[in-house]
Amino acid sequence: MGAGKTKRMPRAVREQQMLDAAVHVFGRRGYMAASMDEIAELAGVSKPLVYLYLNSKDDLFSACIGREARALTEAVRASRPM
């Protein structure tokens, strides 16, 4: 899926695609070595679109951390007996 082959989809769906790609790249390469080019390519969007949605690499990383922390919290809560 190349960066030039985007199709119209809701912003929330597209943003989740970008976050999924970013979590993968940050997890594999670490923050410093992760590139916005690679994240955009993996998400199937252009690099300018990643910046439009998430402003900067720092903001993208923060959004990833926030999303994954919420998922972890939900998983822990769901596993606790009532």
Side-chain angles (χ1 to χ4, degrees):
M1 197 185 277
K5 299 193 180 193
T6 59
K7 62 179 184 177
R8 205 107 167 95
M9 67 176 56
R11 179 185 175 110
V13 174
R14 180 72 74 197
E15 193 169 314
Q16 289 309 306
Q17 272 185 307
M18 292 179 208
L19 290 175
D20 290 343
V23 166
H24 179 80
V25 174
F26 287 135
R28 191 170 30 134
R29 297 198 183 281
Y31 178 83
M32 294 303 291
S35 77
M36 295 296 270
D37 287 317
E38 184 177 5
I39 291 166
E41 176 77 27
L42 187 59
V45 300
S46 66
K47 186 166 80 170
L49 191 61
V50 177
Y51 280 107
L52 178 66
Y53 277 39
L54 294 149
N55 301 316
S56 68
K57 186 176 176 182
D58 285 344
D59 288 346
L60 175 57
F61 187 73
S62 292
C64 290
I65 295 296
R67 186 184 79 166
E68 298 306 305
R70 284 187 298 278
L72 177 60
T73 300
E74 289 171 14
V76 168
R77 285 185 180 145
S79 70
R80 292 193 330 217
M82 299 251 166

